[in-house]
Amino acid sequence: MSQSQNPNLPPVRFYNSLTRTVEPLVPLSAGFVGIYTCGPTVYRYAHIGNLRSFLFADLLRRTLEYLGYEVKHVKNITDVGHMRDDTFDTGEDRMELAAEVEGKTPEEIARFYTDAWLEDEAAVNILPVDVYPKATEHIGEMIDLTRRLLEANLAYEVDGTIYFDVSRFPGYGKLSGQRLEQLRAGHRVEVEADKQDPEDFALWKRAGANRLMKWPSPWGDGFPGWHIECSAMSLRHLGEHVDIHTGGIDNKFPHHEDEIAQSEGALGHRVVSIWMHGEFLTLGDAKMAKSAGNIIRVTDLPAKGFEPLAFRYLALTAHYRSKLDFTEDAMHAAAAGLRRLRRAAAEADGDGSEGGSPATVDLSVEPMASHRARFADAIADDLATPAALAIAHAVASADDLSAAQRRALLLDFDRVLGLDLHLPAEETGGELPEGAAELLERRAAARAERDFATSDALRDQLAAMGVEVRDTPQGQVWTVHH
Ligand code: AMP
Ligand code: ZN
């Protein structure tokens, strides 16, 4: 279908959570794909589970660009109003709670954790997107949308708070498969007295007396609900039709279900063509989550002996719709796989063909063309990264290819894989001698505190153990000399 729109672009198929089938992507305008990704709530550090979701969105965008589509990628920053579901109506805002605990203003908290998140994303080569809309900068749009929903008779006001009336939106539950009757049966009574129905959700909330983040509205001072934020920001930056909307699997309900109700309720037509959801990263089979106390940050990885890109490799070894368990063994295997690809790419440096420059290899002729076609088929088939990695490894050891051809292909695949395959393989760590991990950890801490005297002393100590340390934008990397 997409082929008929633009004969030059290969067809792409994705699993659509809404229809529960793998479907061809049919962009609204041929060759152009608008993607909205639910971004982070910036009241704490992102963990590598969060990053797995954003790596999946990055992979999607890289895949479409590799295949020749033009992409506009929008990823919002939730800097107000993401309530814990159970406490939403008691007004407990994660941003404000964090501000209180850390003794900062909500704005300071948001800026600090947004910067930290962007650095974490960069460490795993997540490409910057086109727009990072902030919720606090779109309050006007949220108020407008809320007003439209009131006018459409899909919402009602109770004392300065506006609720969406789910019973008046016939498609409610179509994404998550939840039936309103089931939701109701499962709900215990006595929720909030002012809601007509426990399933109704707040679009706009009246500000309580101690509320810091609040804005004037036609209904008095208040602040937006989390769900209306994404409807308003996607409408503003991608328009009334969005080709693909992504998020983690836990965003499906209620967040995306409520987004559908709001956007379609206000606009009167379907808005998102394909809903895509990434599965969880687990730790010992429990979902990695701040509340579970089992989080690992990407900045923790170097001290464990891994470079951040080994985590990116690990994420690629599993399909985005499968759970992935984070273990040391899996990370060692990922680091080894990464080393192997980089070694293969580096081999061409010595074969005399201009350092194996990919520019000298014509990828459009055989046998390169068919390797590329197989790689493209794998990623175009609902982002089949395990297959794509297998193809990269097959290329790495293909004896029908010269070293320069192997390098050219691997660097071409790396536009999607994002593994820095041009780096020397030595930069990828290695089995650390006894005690070195602790020294690396102390060195990372010293550098974080800008204590360069200690950091240099630790570097010398590590060098004496045969561990050579270098600092890169991705943090410290090391080579073990035996
Ligand atoms: P938050 O900042 O809490 O809104 O989360 C940001 C993104 O991370 C959301 O899309 C979540 O679905 C996703 N997420 C949270 N925990 C995990 C996990 N353990 N594995 C994968 N994605 C996750
Ligand atoms: Zn969202």
Side-chain angles (χ1 to χ4, degrees):
M1 275 157 97
S2 53
Q3 235 177 351
S4 65
Q5 291 194 10
N6 185 335
N8 300 317
L9 291 175
V12 194
R13 302 177 333 131
F14 295 126
Y15 181 83
N16 187 350
S17 300
L18 184 69
T19 58
R20 296 166 186 77
T21 53
V22 176
E23 294 179 356
L25 169 72
V26 186
L28 198 76
S29 26
F32 171 84
V33 184
I35 305 175
Y36 186 91
T37 293
C38 281
T41 314
V42 285
Y43 67 102
R44 45 94 174 107
Y45 290 118
H47 54 69
I48 56 176
N50 301 133
L51 281 187
R52 185 186 180 203
S53 280
F54 300 131
L55 278 165
F56 142 63
D58 181 64
L59 171 73
L60 171 67
R61 169 258 178 98
R62 285 172 177 264
T63 292
L64 290 168
E65 287 181 345
Y66 181 88
L67 298 172
Y69 291 83
E70 190 191 331
V71 174
K72 178 173 179 185
H73 195 177
V74 177
K75 183 157 48 172
N76 73 286
I77 291 170
T78 301
D79 56 356
V80 61
H82 184 171
M83 311 295 157
R84 262 175 257 152
D85 292 330
D86 50 342
T87 58
F88 186 99
D89 295 284
T90 62
E92 203 176 355
D93 183 317
R94 294 179 180 198
M95 297 295 310
E96 291 207 352
L97 211 60
E100 199 180 302
V101 171
E102 297 191 29
K104 295 179 180 159
T105 65
E107 293 74 18
E108 285 169 337
I109 293 283
R111 200 173 320 121
F112 178 83
Y113 289 109
T114 299
D115 290 348
W117 169 69
L118 288 171
E119 276 175 35
D120 290 352
E121 286 216 323
V124 290
N125 278 352
I126 291 177
L127 297 174
V129 298
D130 300 285
V131 193
Y132 293 96
K134 293 193 178 102
T136 51
E137 291 172 2
H138 295 74
I139 302 294
E141 283 90 340
M142 296 168 200
I143 291 174
D144 269 359
L145 207 52
T146 303
R147 194 190 290 125
R148 283 167 86 162
L149 289 166
L150 279 167
E151 281 163 13
N153 210 23
L154 287 166
Y156 56 93
E157 179 188 348
V158 182
D159 198 15
T161 292
I162 315 295
Y163 291 105
F164 188 97
D165 183 343
V166 296
S167 70
R168 286 188 227 155
F169 182 74
Y172 195 78
K174 65 183 172 185
L175 174 68
S176 57
Q178 313 256 10
R179 293 265 146 269
L180 209 47
E181 311 79 63
Q182 287 166 349
L183 280 171
R184 281 198 186 122
H187 238 110
R188 270 173 277 141
V189 229
E190 60 68 36
V191 198
E192 307 84 36
D194 55 357
K195 274 198 215 177
Q196 289 173 7
D197 200 314
E199 282 66 50
D200 294 348
F201 57 91
L203 301 167
W204 183 262
K205 187 81 190 159
R206 183 172 71 113
N210 299 321
R211 178 85 201 174
L212 297 172
M213 303 177 90
K214 58 183 174 192
W215 292 264
S217 83
W219 318 287
D221 281 0
F223 57 97
W226 174 35
H227 315 310
I228 197 78
E229 296 182 359
C230 284
S231 285
M233 289 186 279
S234 78
L235 180 61
R236 163 76 200 282
H237 295 282
L238 289 167
E240 291 199 5
H241 292 276
V242 176
D243 295 305
I244 303 176
H245 191 128
T246 80
I249 191 86
D250 57 339
N251 288 156
K252 226 197 246 187
F253 186 86
H255 187 48
H256 291 164
E257 194 70 67
D258 291 352
E259 254 191 81
I260 291 178
Q262 297 162 160
S263 301
E264 297 191 0
L267 298 170
H269 59 74
R270 183 156 160 190
V271 174
V272 173
S273 302
I274 298 188
W275 286 92
M276 293 177 74
H277 293 98
E279 253 296 353
F280 284 144
L281 182 76
T282 58
L283 196 70
D285 294 324
K287 175 195 168 189
M288 186 175 287
K290 185 173 170 146
S291 54
N294 62 353
I295 64 165
I296 296 173
R297 283 192 63 198
V298 74
T299 49
D300 296 331
L301 295 177
K304 294 180 185 294
F306 303 113
E307 67 165 305
L309 288 179
F311 177 68
R312 185 175 176 111
Y313 187 103
L314 178 70
L316 294 169
T317 62
H319 190 257
Y320 75 92
R321 284 193 287 121
S322 307
K323 286 201 176 65
L324 171 61
D325 199 36
F326 181 89
T327 64
E328 295 250 323
D329 284 353
M331 279 297 285
H332 279 298
L338 178 56
R339 240 181 342 258
R340 184 169 179 273
L341 292 181
R342 282 187 184 155
R343 261 191 214 124
E347 257 175 49
D349 281 339
D351 84 346
S353 53
E354 291 186 36
S357 156
T360 62
V361 176
D362 184 354
L363 291 173
S364 67
V365 300
E366 293 302 339
M368 279 70 70
S370 39
H371 286 292
R372 283 195 89 215
R374 283 174 58 221
F375 182 81
D377 283 349
I379 53 176
D381 180 16
D382 197 26
L383 310 175
T385 50
L389 274 184
I391 292 161
H393 279 282
V395 161
S397 57
D399 40 26
D400 64 325
L401 298 169
S402 73
Q405 288 170 335
R406 287 197 289 270
R407 177 178 171 85
L409 276 168
L410 288 172
L411 296 189
D412 176 62
F413 296 169
D414 205 34
R415 287 161 49 206
V416 176
L417 303 175
L419 294 169
D420 282 356
L421 296 183
H422 59 279
L423 287 183
E426 292 70 47
E427 302 290 350
T428 57
E431 202 72 45
L432 288 167
E434 187 83 17
E438 197 205 321
L439 296 182
L440 284 166
E441 196 164 344
R442 279 170 47 200
R443 187 167 181 277
R447 289 186 61 77
E449 287 175 7
R450 311 199 145 266
D451 176 358
F452 298 113
T454 305
S455 135
D456 289 348
L458 287 165
R459 184 211 303 265
D460 294 344
Q461 240 179 301
L462 283 156
M465 299 167 80
V467 181
E468 185 194 324
V469 190
R470 283 196 333 116
D471 297 300
T472 74
Q474 274 93 45
Q476 54 184 11
V477 295
W478 60 89
T479 314
V480 183
H481 299 286
H482 294 288

